[in-house]
């Protein structure tokens, strides 16, 4: 199923899908670039959409649909300070995402996906051999990265 | 006279490698990118008089033939690295060619070179003399072996016990070495076989050199070098030596032992030596990144001391150790990446900031030392996301 249809198939997210990267807050948009911006299917502010139902939950920030050759991919983007002390927070958010998505938006969750943590400021986690990064990888999370490049 | 920059052009596989030295200079890069070649030529550039005199004293002859000299100095077959029409060498911007003259009198060494092949210098538990090596072997290995042998042989140094020794190295450093490498064992001279050899005491037995762990065999020659460079008492440095060059300090060592070697490197820096190391170890860069990060913070001196000592997991360090370790924060550290570029020749690039946020992947990926691990992590993340479990 295509990204927009999948979003609208969800009772929680219906009506929240925006064109391009418009669902992202202004400053967060600067953290995303695309190999071909025409292939961006749409974006969703998940944090906002989930806020009423789960006000105290560790909500994931966004997802962005991208038409990659051979099919769509959904990038789940979390913009968060890249400090070692924040790794467990991001992991918690990923776990919440994985728990809720099959129930709240299973069509969307069924689309090929990539979870990416992009740093909201400087990256203060030592490079990629650190145990923390392996912890993130074990939870299916890439990063933290400086930028999310859609389609790379 | 101190030097700050050395450049090679079109020497062997080196297209252009231009290194500005700090108090501590680190060369990183894939295998066979000419790190060792660069370091050996640098050592000769500043120490040609003493090196040539030593080679001459041991009967080596080159008759002012540069390629013949390089075969003898770098190892057989290496003479061809110097291209008569194209190779160039610059010291502090000034072009020169390797000096082949033999001085008439002894000249004291300005460099102390610990080669990557250091474990080979011990045969049957004792360093071999210069003359026992093949003429084809590199000078750096032969001379380090001879130096180590002379050091152990000299009764003035009282090396019956090699480790641990009260008064040799700071207590915190000795504890680190014991924890990381020796685990309560002692190294001492043994004569029971009819000849002197170093043996390791573990329990009731005394173990011969070839039965030690790989790390212990790699480490002990390095340790002996450190003893020479860090004399006890009131003498802070080995006379005349300005530069200490350590190749592949991590060879055969667990990360904890690598950190213990780096603690000795900090002590060398504290004594005023200029230190140059080559490494493939991400742990070395981890440490240097941490030191750089601490340096940039607004902290009290006490907190800075605690931070640096904390990197080495030294609890309750003595005041002298705290000071010598934290003095690294005042030192200039330079890190250079050597790697093959376009045209199939090696180029260098300074990556000293080690900034994990840098747009330059050579800097943020630490010259590839972290890159491969990152690839692995990304692959795992992709497949975890794909897996039905999620």
């Amino acid at each position: 199923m295509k990204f927009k249809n999948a979003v609208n198939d969800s009772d929680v997210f219906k009506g929240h899908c925006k064109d391009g990267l418009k669902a992202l807050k202004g400053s967060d948009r600067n953290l995303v670039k695309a190999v071909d911006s025409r292939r961006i299917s749409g974006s969703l502010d998940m944090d906002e959409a989930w806020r009423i139902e789960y006000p105290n939950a560790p909500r994931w920030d966004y997802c962005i649909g991208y038409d990659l050759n051979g099919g769509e991919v959904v990038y789940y983007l979390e913009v968060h300070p890249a400090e070692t002390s924040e790794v467990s927070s991001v992991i918690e958010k990923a776990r919440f995402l994985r728990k809720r998505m099959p129930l709240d938006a299973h069509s969307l969750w069924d689309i090929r996906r990539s979870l990416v943590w992009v740093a909201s400021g400087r990256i203060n986690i030592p490079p990629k051999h650190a145990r923390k990064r392996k912890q993130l990888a074990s939870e299916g999370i890439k990063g933290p990265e400086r930028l999310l490049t859609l389609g790379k | 006279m101190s030097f700050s920059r050395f450049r090679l052009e079109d020497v062997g596989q080196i297209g252009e490698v231009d290194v500005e030295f700090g108090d501590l200079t680190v060369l990183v890069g894939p295998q066979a990118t000419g790190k060792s070649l660069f370091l050996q030529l640098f050592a000769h550039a500043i120490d040609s008089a003493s090196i040539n005199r030593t080679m001459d004293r041991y009967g080596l002859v080159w008759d002012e033939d540069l390629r013949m000299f390089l075969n003898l100095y770098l190892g057989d077959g290496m003479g061809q690295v110097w291209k008569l029409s194209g190779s160039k060498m610059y010291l502090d911007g000034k072009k020169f060619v390797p000096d082949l003259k033999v001085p008439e009198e002894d000249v004291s060494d300005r460099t102390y070179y610990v080669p990557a092949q250091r474990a080979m210098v011990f045969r049957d538990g004792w360093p071999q003399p210069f003359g026992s090596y093949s003429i084809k072997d590199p000078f750096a290995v032969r001379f380090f072996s001879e130096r180590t042998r002379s050091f152990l042989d000299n009764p003035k140094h009282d090396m019956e016990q090699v480790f641990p020794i009260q008064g040799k190295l700071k207590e915190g450093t000795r504890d680190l070495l014991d924890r990381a490498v020796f685990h309560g064992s002692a190294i001492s001279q043994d004569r029971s076989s009819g000849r002197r050899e170093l043996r390791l005491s573990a329990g009731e037995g005394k173990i011969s050199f070839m039965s030690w762990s790989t790390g212990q065999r790699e480490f002990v020659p390095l340790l002996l070098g450190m003893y020479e460079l860090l004399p006890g008492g009131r003498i802070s440095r080995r006379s005349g030596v300005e530069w200490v060059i350590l190749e592949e300090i991590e060879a055969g060592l667990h990360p904890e032992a690598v950190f213990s070697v780096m603690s000795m490197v900090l002590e060398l820096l504290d004594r005023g030596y200029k230190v140059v190391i080559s490494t493939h170890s991400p742990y070395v860069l981890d440490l240097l990144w941490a030191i750089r990060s601490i340096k940039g913070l607004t902290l009290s001196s006490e907190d800075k001391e605690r931070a640096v000592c904390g990197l080495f997991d030294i609890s309750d360090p003595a005041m002298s150790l705290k000071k010598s370790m934290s003095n690294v924060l005042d030192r200039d550290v330079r890190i250079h990446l050597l790697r093959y570029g376009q045209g199939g020749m090696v180029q260098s690039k300074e990556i000293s900031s080690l900034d994990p946020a840098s747009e330059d992947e050579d800097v943020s990926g630490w010259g590839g030392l972290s890159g491969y691990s990152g690839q692995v992590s990304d692959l795992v993340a992709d497949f975890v996301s794909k897996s039905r479990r999620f």
Side-chain angles (χ1 to χ4, degrees):
Chain A
M1 188 182 281
K2 291 284 186 183
F3 177 78
K4 271 191 176 158
N5 293 343
V7 170
N8 288 330
D9 194 45
S10 157
D11 289 338
V12 174
F13 297 137
K14 192 185 321 192
H16 288 269
C17 189
K18 299 263 173 23
D19 291 334
L21 298 178
K22 287 180 181 166
L24 276 65
K25 295 179 185 60
S27 54
D28 293 344
R29 256 179 249 160
N30 297 333
L31 300 174
V32 181
K33 64 179 189 183
V35 171
D36 183 352
S37 58
R38 293 168 298 181
R39 290 176 173 265
I40 300 174
S41 323
S43 53
L44 168 65
D45 184 342
M46 306 176 80
D47 180 37
E48 199 49 47
W50 264 329
R51 188 182 297 277
I52 295 172
E53 193 141 356
Y54 311 110
N56 301 316
R59 302 183 299 276
W60 194 266
D61 282 339
Y62 307 106
C63 66
I64 304 165
Y66 189 86
D67 180 13
L68 207 57
N69 292 334
E72 278 210 321
V73 63
V74 179
Y75 291 91
Y76 290 86
L77 165 65
E78 173 64 25
V79 179
H80 204 88
E83 304 282 345
T84 312
S85 57
E86 294 297 323
V87 167
S88 50
S89 298
V90 174
I91 288 174
E92 234 187 283
K93 287 173 177 250
R95 287 178 177 170
F96 176 81
L97 180 78
R98 286 200 301 268
K99 185 179 165 189
R100 292 310 321 168
M101 286 301 287
L103 303 169
D104 293 347
H106 70 90
S107 306
L108 185 59
W109 192 239
D110 281 346
I111 301 174
R112 185 158 57 120
R113 60 185 173 265
S114 183
L115 275 63
V116 185
W117 171 7
V118 172
S120 55
R122 282 185 55 83
I123 296 179
N124 278 325
I125 300 179
K128 294 170 180 183
H129 67 275
R131 203 168 51 177
K132 292 286 180 188
R133 289 205 180 226
K134 288 186 168 51
Q135 241 182 295
L136 290 164
S138 303
E139 298 281 342
I141 305 164
K142 290 185 184 179
E145 308 286 355
R146 262 186 345 101
L147 273 183
L148 168 59
T149 305
L150 306 171
K152 192 175 171 184
Chain B
M1 189 180 168
S2 200
F3 300 101
S4 63
R5 195 174 196 132
F6 186 61
R7 181 162 107 238
L8 292 178
E9 288 179 13
D10 203 16
V11 179
Q13 70 269 55
I14 291 175
E16 182 180 324
V17 170
D18 186 1
V19 170
E20 191 158 355
F21 294 95
D23 298 306
L24 172 62
T25 309
V26 183
L27 302 188
V28 300
Q31 318 290 140
T33 46
K35 297 185 292 297
S36 186
L37 173 62
F38 182 88
L39 291 174
Q40 288 177 82
L41 289 177
F42 174 65
H44 189 263
I46 53 178
D47 228 356
S48 57
S50 105
I51 290 172
N52 294 357
R53 175 107 177 130
T54 304
M55 288 171 70
D56 176 72
R57 199 169 71 233
Y58 284 104
L60 300 178
V61 176
W62 55 91
D63 290 330
E64 308 228 339
D65 181 329
L66 177 56
R67 279 193 164 168
M68 171 74 89
F69 174 81
L70 290 175
N71 277 330
L72 295 170
Y73 176 63
L74 296 171
D76 193 43
M78 291 295 284
Q80 47 84 26
V81 302
W82 193 269
K83 296 151 202 167
L84 294 167
S85 56
S87 294
K88 296 186 185 75
M89 194 183 285
Y90 299 83
L91 190 58
D92 282 350
K94 206 170 145 190
K95 188 174 165 190
F96 73 105
V97 287
D99 183 357
L100 303 183
K101 291 190 298 295
V102 178
E104 289 188 4
E105 288 174 358
D106 281 346
V107 181
S108 60
D109 308 314
R110 295 167 71 185
T111 60
Y112 193 102
Y113 199 113
V114 180
Q117 307 94 317
R118 55 188 165 273
M120 288 171 53
V121 310
F122 276 74
R123 186 193 291 160
D124 297 328
W126 200 253
Q128 305 171 67
F130 190 100
S132 72
Y133 285 87
S134 162
I135 197 172
K136 298 177 181 179
D137 294 333
F139 173 83
V141 177
R142 303 176 74 181
F143 189 53
F144 175 70
S145 187
E146 176 63 36
R147 226 172 190 162
T148 313
R149 189 189 66 80
S150 301
F151 181 75
L152 281 172
D153 270 349
N154 190 336
K156 195 173 76 175
H157 297 134
D158 190 19
M159 283 278 130
E160 287 299 315
Q161 170 104 341
V162 171
F163 186 87
I165 307 176
Q166 284 291 339
K168 280 278 187 209
L169 306 177
K170 295 191 163 60
E171 188 183 336
T173 307
R174 283 201 309 277
D175 290 345
L176 258 179
L177 300 186
D178 185 56
R179 211 167 67 211
V181 183
F182 296 111
H183 313 289
S185 305
I187 309 276
S188 58
Q189 291 194 29
D190 184 272
R191 292 171 175 74
S192 57
S193 63
R195 52 182 294 282
R196 274 189 296 178
E197 58 175 307
L198 294 186
R199 283 196 173 231
L200 184 145
S201 303
E204 289 178 17
K206 283 192 167 191
I207 301 170
S208 66
F209 182 77
M210 283 308 289
S211 299
W212 300 1
S213 73
T214 305
Q216 287 164 343
R217 292 201 304 274
E218 289 286 346
F219 184 76
V220 166
L222 184 59
L223 177 66
L224 292 171
M226 292 296 167
Y227 283 163
E228 258 203 277
L229 292 164
L230 301 170
R234 296 207 176 136
I235 307 167
S236 72
R237 280 168 56 171
R238 185 181 151 97
S239 175
V241 174
E242 296 168 35
W243 294 84
V244 177
I245 300 171
L246 309 172
E247 288 193 283
E248 297 189 16
I249 60 165
E250 74 280 2
L253 298 181
H254 183 276
E256 191 177 12
V258 173
F259 268 51
S260 68
V261 172
M262 286 301 292
S263 74
M264 294 196 292
V265 168
L266 296 202
E267 199 165 343
L268 289 172
L269 291 171
D270 191 48
R271 302 267 188 125
Y273 290 108
K274 286 201 176 291
V275 181
V276 188
I277 63 180
S278 66
T279 186
H280 296 287
S281 171
Y283 304 106
V284 170
L285 295 201
D286 223 3
L287 189 64
L288 295 177
W289 171 81
I291 288 170
R292 186 175 261 271
S293 301
I294 293 165
K295 192 172 176 171
L297 301 174
T298 309
L299 292 171
S300 66
S301 312
E302 203 179 272
D303 277 342
K304 286 190 174 183
E305 283 170 7
R306 205 178 304 131
V308 177
C309 289
L311 291 174
F312 296 91
D313 200 19
I314 302 174
S315 56
D316 198 24
M319 182 59 72
S320 60
L321 183 62
K322 266 195 243 182
K323 281 263 170 272
S324 79
M325 285 208 148
S326 59
N327 283 344
V328 71
L329 298 174
D330 297 326
R331 301 286 184 258
D332 180 25
V333 179
R334 302 287 184 118
I335 302 159
H336 297 269
L337 166 65
L338 276 64
R339 50 99 191 269
Y340 282 92
Q342 288 183 347
M345 298 294 278
V346 174
Q347 313 288 330
S348 65
K349 182 179 187 176
E350 188 168 347
I351 58 168
S352 300
S353 76
L354 298 181
D355 183 359
S358 173
E359 284 184 37
D360 185 339
E361 285 200 11
D362 287 331
V363 175
S364 59
W366 294 358
L369 287 191
S370 63
Y372 285 98
S373 192
Q375 253 174 257
V376 166
S377 291
D378 281 352
L379 187 117
V380 169
D382 275 339
F383 279 95
V384 164
S385 269
K386 195 175 178 180
S387 132
R388 283 200 197 129
R389 197 157 56 89
F390 292 121

